[in-house]
Amino acid sequence: MVDNKTTNKYEAALAKYNCNLNDDDVKAAVKKIIAEKVPENDTLEVKKFLMGSVELTTLKTTDSEESVMAFTERVNKFDEQYPDLPHVATICVYPCFAKTVSETLEVDGVEIACVSGSFPSSQALIEVKVAETALAIKDGATEIDIVQSVGKFLSGDYETVADEIAELKAVCGDKKMKVILETGCLKTAANIKKASIIAMYAGADYIKTSTGKLEPAATPEAAYVMCQAIKEYYDETGIQIGFKPAGGLNSVMDAVTMYTIVKEVLGEKWLTNQWFRMGTSRLANLLLSEVIGEEVKFF
């Protein structure tokens, strides 16, 4: 009986939203936005803003204390070398490097994000996910990125998906938690919309497209559906949720496209580096090069 009530809670939440999306309709809407609105955002001002929304990310098998320390030092040096430009929003690393970043970072206002909960697969016992998340926070993480249990979602077990998210948010407390949907595995706009809503109702502070470990990653179509879900959730509950595209952002125009989708669907209220983040590493150099007018490989 309790299970039915719990299941009904999530079904009732989903019932408040239109999840019967047509993929072709979404593609057409995105194509229209890109054609009509992206050119007006291809400006120096927008590119400077986007630099301040970057979550500078290193999630390599070869990461070491030395490489992560050097990575963090680049952020410290950037603040000295380019005092007139916005610094990155976040440094994102594995939990075992939270302490290294925390002890090396000297720039105020840069968050320390850790991917947690058995990233990128999320295939672990909840006890392991809880322990990893708690340890990351103990070592200095100020934000946590987790992956929803994609296999459970695709099996229709929304209750377990939501319960895990809620349990990990309880561990995070007042630290912001981003829930990665892994949209490339969800395949359809309808699934992306459902996963977005479940994650927000379960306690996500941000929803994020991808781990960057699987293709396709952050597509404009996935971003459009997720931003629609955020807007509808905000209209329904009054709670503002952040958005983070990650993975597959390979060019400055990819970043400008994401900015445009956020601007058109969510509006100006989301155009701060508090509510709009981009997970990437290569993009930081490309944006910096465009802003200062010459090719730079700073990060």
Side-chain angles (χ1 to χ4, degrees), residues 74-89:
R74 299 309 293 165
V75 174
N76 294 339
K77 285 178 183 155
F78 179 87
D79 207 45
E80 295 167 18
Q81 195 162 327
Y82 299 100
D84 298 331
L85 294 178
H87 55 64
V88 297

Side-chain angles (χ1 to χ4, degrees), residues 138-152:
K138 180 182 77 69
D139 281 350
T142 61
E143 297 183 350
I144 294 291
D145 292 28
I146 65 161
V147 186
Q148 73 159 346
S149 290
V150 179
K152 291 184 176 74

Side-chain angles (χ1 to χ4, degrees), residues 222-282:
Y224 177 80
V225 172
M226 289 169 69
C227 287
Q228 271 193 324
I230 290 169
K231 176 72 167 63
E232 291 172 23
Y233 181 79
Y234 178 72
D235 291 343
E236 176 73 28
T237 66
I239 299 167
Q240 188 170 3
I241 302 293
F243 173 61
K244 179 181 172 182
L249 300 174
N250 297 318
S251 70
V252 170
M253 201 43 68
D254 288 342
V256 173
T257 297
M258 290 295 170
Y259 173 94
T260 303
I261 289 167
V262 170
K263 183 179 177 183
E264 292 303 312
V265 179
L266 290 169
E268 299 283 343
K269 191 169 183 177
W270 270 262
L271 292 178
T272 75
N273 75 349
Q274 178 65 37
W275 299 108
F276 173 49
R277 303 276 184 78
M278 296 185 301
T280 183
S281 45
R282 67 171 71 88

